[in-house]
Amino acid sequence: MTIDLNTLVQKYDTPLYLYNFDDVAKRYRELKGAFEGHKSLISYAVKANSNLAVVRHLAQMGAGADCVSIGEVRRALAAGVERYKIIFSGVGKRDDEIKEALEKEILMLNLESEAEMKRVEQIARELGKEARISIRVNPNIDPKTHPYISTGLHENKFGVEINIAKRMYIYAKKSEYLNPIGIHFHIGSQLTELDPIKEATGIVADLVRSLVAIDIDIKFFDVGGGLGVVYKDETTIHPQSYADVIFEATKGLDVTLICEPGRYMLANAGYLVTRVLYEKKNAGKRFVIVDAAMNDLIRPSLYDVYHKIEAVKKSEENSKESTPADVVGPICESGDFFGKNIDLPPLMHDDLLVIHSAGAYGFTMSSNYNTRGRAAEVAISEGEDYCIRKRESFEDQIALELACDNSWQKK
Ligand SMILES: *Cc1c(COP(=O)(O)O)cnc(C)c1O
């Protein structure tokens, strides 16, 4: 980024999330371009970063939205995503969420169990509507990623087995209130190998062929999200190789291909900027204590993953030697760290550190733990900065507590 971080920090303070919208656009166009010549929809996984400005930015380029709660569906609509590009997934949808999704006439509800299908049918009947549905198939493929973000094995809670899916499609086809138009799978996140994708796509494509043979017309073939990104030194999948593998596996099927990237769109376009508070040594071990914490970015604590951390160098310090340090936040947990044994130059109070690859599953997984307000979010586009979420104040945090009548105090 050519932007001057010191100026931005003066304006917005720290901790601060920065998103390079030009990078997001580049990534969107590269992936969309890979599907050229085929009917396709890039349905952005809103949970990765659900800021309205982010979703709007993607919607303006033509993206749809993959949502996992009615809140996300509302966000997508509020951000201007066309309703016929919105998919509602998730293993546990409430009745009111199903009802609202049907009323809003989104593209489809992605179903994850027979019990859910019966609920959707019942609610559609009450509304006198036909529910457009897809079914999430669990192809039992090991995605070779972190177990917490692996979703495509039978031991995971997601989707249904092939045989159950088939039974569901036959039921849905007969139902007056269900219209099975799509099929879906999502084997995991941070995928860096093509083989599991190829295998899963092949299995699901075969299922579609067998459905077409019994006159069940699947129009949307949704391969889920999961495209991996570089955090450290991973070799990632090129979007064109990804698309080519999908083309090959779905050959002969007349379907619109959907993919649902979240991390791929945002992770490397986002940065968490934090200020150094203190340095200290415990038994010779160097700690750099910063003003961001695990409540701002929980990924290192939750998944023990690597995020590149860089000091914003002042020119006179360029020559100083770096030594390894643990970069930690102020929260009362030993798990509150951003990096261990990170080489950093000597740092002073108020020096800035930039934590890279923080654009996805960063802000959206943030919390108020330790009564810390959530960070501000800023978009950078063509060299200009735009506030897209104000820093959360103490008053914001307690507002809902004050909003109750607090009658227990009068007892
Ligand atoms: C989380 C999720 C995605 C996005 O995953 P990424 O790894 O961020 O691309 C897509 N589809 C579904 C159903 C998901 O649950």
Side-chain angles (χ1 to χ4, degrees):
M1 278 194 292
T2 50
I3 211 101
D4 178 35
L5 286 175
N6 288 300
T7 312
L8 279 184
V9 162
Q10 271 168 28
K11 190 163 163 188
Y12 298 104
D13 207 352
T14 52
L16 178 66
Y17 270 105
L18 287 183
Y19 309 119
N20 184 337
F21 272 26
D22 303 335
D23 262 9
V24 175
K26 202 174 126 218
R27 298 206 138 220
Y28 175 80
R29 296 205 174 100
E30 186 167 22
L31 187 57
K32 182 65 184 172
F35 283 90
E36 206 175 283
H38 291 74
K39 289 178 285 181
S40 72
L41 173 65
I42 310 289
S43 192
Y44 168 61
V46 174
K47 70 172 190 270
N49 185 321
S50 46
N51 187 293
L52 286 176
V54 169
V55 183
R56 183 172 296 122
H57 182 43
L58 285 158
Q60 282 171 349
M61 291 184 284
D66 176 56
C67 303
V68 290
S69 70
I70 203 67
E72 286 190 356
V73 172
R74 290 183 188 178
R75 269 186 189 274
L77 288 166
V81 180
E82 320 253 23
R83 56 165 186 78
Y84 58 86
K85 292 181 181 173
I86 297 176
I87 303 163
F88 184 14
S89 304
V91 283
K93 303 179 195 73
R94 291 163 47 102
D95 289 5
D96 56 334
E97 292 185 300
I98 293 168
K99 180 161 179 268
E100 190 174 327
L102 292 176
E103 285 169 346
K104 294 212 154 108
E105 297 277 353
I106 62 170
L107 175 61
M108 57 195 177
L109 276 83
N110 188 21
L111 308 184
E112 304 215 16
S113 63
E114 283 186 295
E116 186 189 13
M117 181 175 69
K118 301 282 168 67
R119 285 309 303 165
V120 170
E121 184 187 35
Q122 176 61 28
I123 294 166
R125 180 183 291 121
E126 283 161 20
L127 294 173
K129 278 181 183 286
E130 189 186 66
R132 287 180 297 278
I133 59 157
S134 61
I135 293 170
R136 178 168 180 172
V137 178
N138 183 329
N140 197 26
I141 294 293
D142 182 354
K144 307 203 171 70
T145 185
H146 191 289
Y148 282 13
I149 50 176
S150 152
T151 53
L153 282 167
H154 284 162
E155 66 195 64
N156 301 124
K157 67 178 172 181
F158 300 97
V160 296
E161 290 166 57
I162 300 275
N163 289 338
I164 296 176
K166 202 159 177 181
R167 196 161 82 203
M168 286 169 71
Y169 278 111
I170 291 165
Y171 180 94
K173 163 92 175 159
K174 285 190 194 139
S175 167
E176 219 184 307
Y177 297 100
L178 298 171
N179 183 6
I181 59 168
I183 197 156
H184 175 267
F185 63 96
H186 171 75
I187 58 172
S189 203
Q190 184 57 10
L191 306 176
T192 54
E193 290 182 36
L194 264 178
D195 279 346
I197 298 169
K198 191 175 180 170
E199 219 180 315
T201 311
I203 291 170
V204 177
D206 282 345
L207 172 60
V208 172
R209 289 187 187 97
S210 75
L211 293 172
V212 169
I214 53 171
D215 213 22
I216 295 171
D217 184 21
I218 301 296
K219 296 187 180 69
F220 297 94
F221 190 98
D222 186 341
V223 300
L227 263 181
V229 301
V230 177
Y231 286 101
K232 192 177 193 177
D233 51 11
E234 300 88 340
T235 39
T236 52
I237 298 166
H238 192 278
Q240 196 59 61
S241 324
Y242 178 66
D244 287 345
V245 155
I246 296 164
F247 297 156
E248 181 64 31
T250 57
K251 219 178 221 163
L253 294 176
D254 181 21
V255 288
T256 297
L257 298 170
I258 301 182
C259 65
E260 306 171 336
R263 190 187 308 274
Y264 171 83
M265 288 294 172
L266 259 302
N268 288 334
Y271 306 82
L272 176 60
V273 184
T274 182
R275 227 189 285 251
V276 172
L277 299 175
Y278 314 106
E279 279 222 25
K280 74 185 242 181
K281 278 202 166 135
N282 275 356
K285 190 175 167 68
R286 180 181 174 210
F287 290 92
V288 174
I289 301 157
V290 298
D291 71 350
M294 64 190 284
N295 76 298
D296 299 301
L297 176 70
I298 201 172
R299 288 179 32 80
S301 319
L302 187 60
Y303 308 121
D304 198 19
V305 288
Y306 173 88
H307 279 263
K308 179 174 158 188
I309 304 176
E310 260 183 341
V312 179
K313 284 190 199 128
K314 299 180 191 126
S315 50
E316 72 267 21
E317 278 168 11
N318 272 342
S319 53
K320 293 215 177 125
E321 212 174 299
S322 290
T323 56
D326 285 11
V327 179
V328 303
I331 282 183
C332 313
E333 305 264 353
S334 296
D336 183 24
F337 68 92
F338 294 113
K340 294 188 168 164
N341 293 314
I342 308 286
D343 281 328
L344 290 169
L347 294 163
M348 310 269 287
H349 188 76
D350 277 350
D351 279 352
L352 299 177
L353 294 184
V354 178
I355 304 171
H356 290 244
S357 312
Y361 306 105
F363 187 91
T364 47
M365 292 180 101
S366 65
S367 76
N368 288 128
Y369 189 40
N370 280 211
T371 305
R372 294 170 48 89
R374 286 182 177 79
E377 293 180 285
V378 167
I380 309 290
S381 176
E382 295 173 351
E384 301 286 327
D385 55 283
Y386 305 89
C387 175
I388 57 170
R389 194 183 203 270
K390 285 189 168 178
R391 183 172 303 286
E392 197 174 23
S393 69
F394 171 68
E395 289 72 24
D396 292 332
Q397 286 190 66
I398 60 167
L400 294 174
E401 290 151 60
L402 297 182
C404 295
D405 66 3
N406 284 312
S407 53
W408 66 270
Q409 287 176 338
K410 289 164 201 150
K411 286 206 171 141

